[in-house]
Amino acid sequence: MSMTEDLAADAKANTKPEGHFTVTILGAGSATPMLGRHPTAQVVTYDHDHFLIDCGEGTQFRLIERKIKPGRLQHIFISHLHGDHYFGLAPLLSSLNLSGRTEPMYLYGPRGLDEVLTTMFRVSDTRLGFPLHFTVVDPATPTVLVDLPQLTVESIPLEHRITCSGYLFREKRGKRKLLREKLPADVSVAHMKQLKAGHDVIEEDGTLLYDVATYTTPGPKPGSYAFCSDTRFSEPLIEWVKGVDVLYHEATFLDTHAERAGEVFHSTARQAASVARQAGVGRLIIGHFSSRYKEFSAFLEEARTVFDQTMLAEEGRTYTID
């Protein structure tokens, strides 16, 4: 590879393409079904990888509607064992089996999810033709569950009526960008790779040939996304999601029903916005709206009195993480 080709590749690698890191809302309703609303499910897309978070009833139909191929899923994360968050999982796995899937699927969720699936598949005589690897998520301790070359996924403890976990997606910092105008024409590819990896180039006698600070700049800022549903207002959560680019936080109720929210371990729009403000996040998406509300403008108004950068979770919409 020539120096020109390597520099071009470096520039391309250090520019985030549109759609590089996104979340698509498949369902943002709460437990009671309503026409036009769907239970919780989201797809986080990182480059060409899809990660499914929660899998409420009918999720596989939502995937088809959004032209997201279920067969491309490799990791599924379930927050807790209330039905509106996982009743679509067994049908999705069954459909993948019928389609002839052979690639492994990695499933993360609370203890007992494996028992539910095992029982359903046993009584229906369903025999999966692909490996299903299940990891029990510790509901009390943040744990890195997935560690890929450019991305990690960590569990976040939430405070709900039963054990419940959120999930935090963090992009790793990319390679540094070479400063073309400062590099000599005869710099070797090996030395450029060292610099991009963040290492000074030092000759055998100890002489500093090229230093990272002079010849490179940091790569693109890594993005982060936190999914928090279901939970009541939680002080510890503020620290766990501090500084994330985009936070999804449930807002099942308006503040007029704050007492009810506390009784059932859910949050209000104002409480979700308080978490976002105190955590210093970039943007807040609120969802998991109770069926008692017929429209959601009041949720947005309430949340924005506390945290202006608030958006409603719109089913079918894709949000960029940056």
Side-chain angles (χ1 to χ4, degrees):
M1 177 183 291
S2 68
M3 177 179 172
T4 301
E5 291 171 332
D6 194 83
L7 287 171
D10 175 69
K12 182 178 180 181
N14 282 276
T15 303
K16 290 185 179 182
E18 187 176 351
H20 158 83
F21 191 3
T22 65
V23 58
T24 300
I25 308 297
L26 302 179
S30 59
T32 303
M34 291 188 67
L35 290 176
R37 299 190 200 175
H38 303 98
T40 302
Q42 301 183 3
V43 172
V44 171
T45 300
Y46 186 80
D47 286 340
H48 301 292
D49 295 325
H50 292 318
F51 306 82
L52 179 64
I53 313 176
D54 277 351
C55 191
E57 186 176 356
T59 291
Q60 60 179 323
F61 294 104
R62 308 285 84 75
L63 290 167
I64 295 170
E65 287 174 354
R66 302 314 307 163
K67 295 181 172 55
I68 299 172
K69 296 180 179 180
R72 290 180 58 189
L73 295 171
Q74 291 184 307
H75 301 269
I76 300 175
F77 304 86
I78 302 298
S79 62
H80 64 297
L81 293 183
H82 281 156
D84 56 316
H85 293 262
Y86 83 102
F87 275 176
L89 180 58
L92 172 61
L93 295 175
S94 296
S95 294
L96 290 173
N97 189 51
L98 289 173
S99 70
R101 181 189 180 101
T102 57
E103 300 91 343
M105 176 69 79
Y106 296 89
L107 175 64
Y108 312 84
R111 189 176 305 279
L113 178 58
D114 52 337
E115 296 178 36
V116 173
L117 292 175
T118 298
T119 299
M120 294 181 72
F121 291 151
R122 176 177 56 81
V123 299
S124 64
D125 194 27
T126 299
R127 305 177 189 185
L128 297 181
F130 59 89
L132 180 60
H133 302 288
F134 176 61
T135 298
V136 175
V137 177
D138 182 348
T141 306
T143 305
V144 174
L145 302 170
V146 179
D147 190 354
L148 300 175
Q150 296 299 325
L151 188 76
T152 62
V153 186
E154 180 180 3
S155 63
I156 307 172
L158 302 178
E159 296 184 17
H160 195 40
R161 189 164 56 84
I162 62 174
T163 57
C164 186
S165 299
Y167 296 101
L168 173 58
F169 292 73
R170 285 194 186 278
E171 184 180 20
K172 298 179 181 178
R173 185 169 290 280
K175 293 181 179 180
R176 298 180 68 87
K177 183 178 180 179
L178 297 172
L179 295 173
R180 306 183 186 196
E181 68 280 7
K182 292 189 176 183
L183 286 165
D186 61 348
V187 63
S188 70
V189 171
H191 287 166
M192 287 192 290
K193 288 182 177 179
Q194 277 184 256
L195 289 169
K196 286 193 291 183
H199 305 300
D200 292 334
V201 178
I202 302 174
E203 295 186 310
E204 290 185 4
D205 63 2
T207 302
L208 177 63
L209 190 59
Y210 307 115
D211 65 286
V212 169
T214 300
Y215 295 98
T216 70
T217 58
K221 175 184 173 294
S224 53
Y225 174 67
F227 168 87
C228 301
S229 183
D230 299 3
T231 185
R232 64 180 177 182
F233 178 80
S234 169
E235 290 280 356
L237 180 60
I238 294 168
E239 285 300 315
W240 292 324
V241 301
K242 187 171 287 294
V244 300
D245 291 298
V246 180
L247 167 67
Y248 173 90
H249 193 294
E250 73 123 284
T252 307
F253 296 95
L254 290 172
D255 211 43
T256 52
H257 296 109
E259 183 176 350
R260 177 59 178 164
E263 291 172 352
V264 294
F265 286 75
H266 282 294
S267 297
T268 68
R270 186 181 303 278
Q271 289 170 335
S274 180
V275 171
R277 179 178 59 80
Q278 294 183 63
V281 309
R283 289 175 291 158
L284 170 67
I285 303 173
I286 53 175
H288 199 267
F289 307 115
S290 169
S291 60
R292 72 174 62 203
Y293 306 103
K294 306 309 176 189
E295 60 89 32
F296 310 125
S297 60
F299 283 84
L300 193 60
E301 292 170 7
E302 180 175 294
R304 284 184 172 174
T305 63
V306 178
F307 187 74
D308 185 61
Q309 295 300 312
T310 301
M311 301 171 286
L312 295 176
E314 298 180 25
E315 296 187 4
R317 181 176 172 182
T318 296
Y319 302 79
T320 300
I321 311 300
D322 56 20

